[in-house]
Amino acid sequence: MFKNVYNWIDERLDITPIWRDVADHEVPEHVNPAHHFSAFVYCFGGLTFFITVIQILSGMFLTMYYVPDIINAYASVEYLQTKVAFGQIVRGMHHWGASLVIVMMFLHTMRVFFTGSYKAPREMNWVVGMLIFFVMLGLGLTGYLLPWDNKSYFATKVTLEIANSTPVLGPVLKELMQGGSIVGAETLTRFFALHVFFLPAVLLILLVGHFIMIRRQGISGPL
Amino acid sequence: MAHEDNSKEKIVFVGDSRVRRGNGFVPPPDYSAYPGKSEAFIPNFLLKEWMVGVVVLVGILVLTISEPAPLGFPANPGATVIPVPDWYFLFLYQYLKLPYASGDYIVLGTMGVTGVAFGSLLLAPFLDTGRERRFYRRPIASSLMFLSLASIVYLTNSAWTEYKHEMAATGQVPEDVQREEKAAENRAKGLPTSSAVQAKEVVIVDKEDPAMAAYQKAGCVACHAADMKGAAGPSLRGVGDKHDKAGIITIIKEGYNNKMPPMYDTAINAGLTDKDIDHLAEWLAKQKTEQ
């Protein structure tokens, strides 16, 4: 039954090469911790992706309750944290996951750097990886404001002051992010839009590029 | 993404990149094509990855259950709070406080050193172009990275120590701790535990007054709604804050700013007397936010 359905689709769309390319590859000995324990350093990239998936899923559930306006944002987060069943767990996963994804990404970057894996022919993948790093930092920065408590409010004020100190572009940049002359309602909706739509979209595009490149080039050889 | 056999390109990858492109036919990658102990990704290696994933997931869940995500008090621009960014920005935050990265030299701080550091990280493959991959054979790249790592650790630590000191010196307790304590206290007393700012609804003053009936009858409801919260016209709750009795009578008789037509005749036709209208205006003037 399933085979017939699969064959029917495959005849028309030739989907076999797509998944075979993902599924049918060899994992070489030098990255397999089962053979050399020190190869656990090669886990960090995969773990970064794993935690990114957790972030996306938990974030999707958080938006079911979160209200991005200055009157209700705090109240909705508090309600989520104290009243909603498992809300504390989901918010906790998103909060701690945000830190862990930075840790994992940092370790992955260090592994790639110290094994020299960014060298020719993998320069482009390194650049895309660094862009992913910056997008992740952007996600951390914008997400920090969303609970709209004093800590996030004052940290964002400082961040925007720093952005303001950039020569020439600074004031424009600050006003663009702030959506006006003060940190207020418009800032919150802008950060929300960046955190939930713009940055994740960029992140997903970059991740696809990162993965296509690693499949095309294969993992770098042993030292 | 199959690679063609007859490719004339300089670099050709065949599955695992250790396999050089040979002369003539290159067999498609399978187990026998690789030296050493390579493994199929599906299912062998994926199973191991899955196990690592499960362990990590359990770790995250243990962390979330034992340490709930912090939440302070609602943002209040008048509050005195020592601003602190998320921990992974602490090093940058602390760095921008250094004398030669702040004040008059802030451009050096934001664009100069930070820009060069992140820029060279982004472009590392084009700066470190040698073929050598081992880090101890690339002393410049490696020592720059070690130096950066050491300064990140140092700056993060000093930022956090400074923050702790400031908190202790000003006698402040982190707001998430305060909120927890307050909630626990209120819970013990059976009071609401929320710290959210409750929006106060302006109430109708003297709702039982006959003027309420006159308000309905005179046709005011068409624009200001039966609950006085406004529809096409503005809300009349708390209207006494803006207009006194005489002002309200003028508005009824002459309209308001070309937005509200004169309603006096409509009210008279609906059966109200001058006395009723006078009383209605008096009652509306009593509609104040605070009593």
Side-chain angles (χ1 to χ4, degrees), chain A residues 12 21-22 26-27 39 53 64 68-69 75 77 86 96 99 102 141 157 159 162 178 180 183-184 193 205:
Chain A
R12 282 155 184 81
D21 189 71
V22 175
E26 299 281 318
V27 178
V53 171
M64 287 183 172
D69 84 59
V77 174
F86 301 110
W96 292 112
S99 289
I102 302 279
L141 192 79
K157 266 186 114 165
T159 309
I162 293 171
Q178 206 167 248
V183 176
I205 292 168

Side-chain angles (χ1 to χ4, degrees), chain B residues 206-265:
Chain B
D206 276 343
K207 208 177 173 179
E208 303 306 319
D209 196 284
M212 187 71 189
Y215 167 79
Q216 311 272 2
K217 203 170 157 194
C220 310
V221 285
C223 292
H224 297 291
D227 58 4
M228 292 177 68
K229 281 183 176 174
S235 168
L236 291 185
R237 294 194 180 195
V239 70
D241 295 345
K242 275 165 80 182
H243 304 289
D244 58 5
K245 185 186 166 190
I248 290 170
I249 289 180
T250 317
I251 292 171
I252 292 174
K253 286 189 174 160
E254 294 168 15
Y256 189 64
N257 276 356
N258 289 330
K259 285 178 197 153
M260 175 182 155
M263 291 298 289
Y264 180 75
D265 293 340

Side-chain angles (χ1 to χ4, degrees), chain B residues 3 5 23 28 32 36 44 52 64 68 71-72 92 101 122 135 138 173 224 248 268 270 284:
Chain B
H3 303 285
D5 278 348
N23 297 323
S32 62
N44 307 32
V52 173
T64 58
L71 183 67
L92 265 179
L122 180 68
F135 71 92
R138 305 183 272 131
V173 180
H224 297 291
I248 290 170
I268 294 293
L284 283 171

Side-chain angles (χ1 to χ4, degrees), chain A residues 5 25 75 85 100 110 138-139 142 150 158 164 167 172 179 183 187 202 222:
Chain A
V5 171
H25 64 270
L100 281 172
M110 288 304 108
L139 281 164
T142 49
N150 273 326
V158 173
N164 190 34
V172 181
V183 176
T187 320
V202 176

Side-chain angles (χ1 to χ4, degrees), chain A residues 21-23 25-35 43 47 50-51 54 74-75 77-78 81-83 88-89 91-93 95-96 98-100 102-103 106 110 113-119 121-123 126-127 130-131 134 137 140-141 144 147-151 153-155 158 162 165-167 212 216-223, chain B residues 1 3 11 13 15-18 30-31 34 36-42 45 48 52-53 56-57 60-61 63-65 67-77 79 81 83-89 93 96 106-107 110-111 118 121-122 124-126 128-135 138 141-142 145-146 149 175 179 193-196:
Chain A
D21 189 71
V22 175
H25 64 270
E26 299 281 318
V27 178
E29 181 194 340
H30 72 285
V31 303
N32 191 338
H35 295 301
C43 285
L47 287 176
F50 180 61
I51 298 173
I54 291 180
Y74 179 87
V77 174
E78 193 186 52
Q81 177 83 7
T82 54
K83 298 270 165 37
Q88 186 175 334
I89 303 289
R91 180 164 177 258
M93 285 177 86
H95 173 85
W96 292 112
S99 289
L100 281 172
I102 302 279
V103 171
F106 174 76
M110 288 304 108
F113 184 85
F114 285 115
T115 57
S117 303
Y118 58 87
K119 288 176 172 282
R122 297 187 176 79
E123 301 98 324
W126 168 270
V127 173
M130 286 316 297
L131 294 178
F134 296 146
L137 290 179
L141 192 79
Y144 201 61
W148 199 249
D149 61 2
N150 273 326
K151 193 163 96 167
Y153 178 82
F154 285 97
V158 173
I162 293 171
S165 68
T166 316
I212 288 178
R216 245 183 135 72
Q217 300 183 321
I219 199 159
S220 61
L223 286 169
Chain B
M1 272 164 248
H3 303 285
I11 303 163
F13 297 97
D16 178 73
S17 60
R18 286 180 299 168
D30 63 31
Y31 288 97
Y34 299 95
K37 302 165 190 158
S38 58
E39 249 182 345
F41 175 60
I42 289 180
F45 195 70
K48 289 175 189 161
V52 173
V56 170
L57 186 61
I60 295 178
L61 284 172
L63 186 64
T64 58
I65 293 166
E67 288 284 324
L71 183 67
F73 291 123
N76 170 14
V81 173
V84 62
D86 224 349
W87 65 268
Y88 44 86
F89 287 117
Y93 182 54
L96 290 173
I106 186 75
V107 176
T110 51
M111 302 302 284
F118 282 103
L121 194 62
L122 180 68
F126 306 103
D128 176 22
T129 50
R131 295 188 68 82
E132 181 57 55
R133 281 181 49 203
R134 284 165 290 191
F135 71 92
R138 305 183 272 131
S142 299
M145 184 55 90
F146 280 125
L149 291 180
E175 284 201 344
R179 189 192 69 90
T193 53
S194 172
S195 294

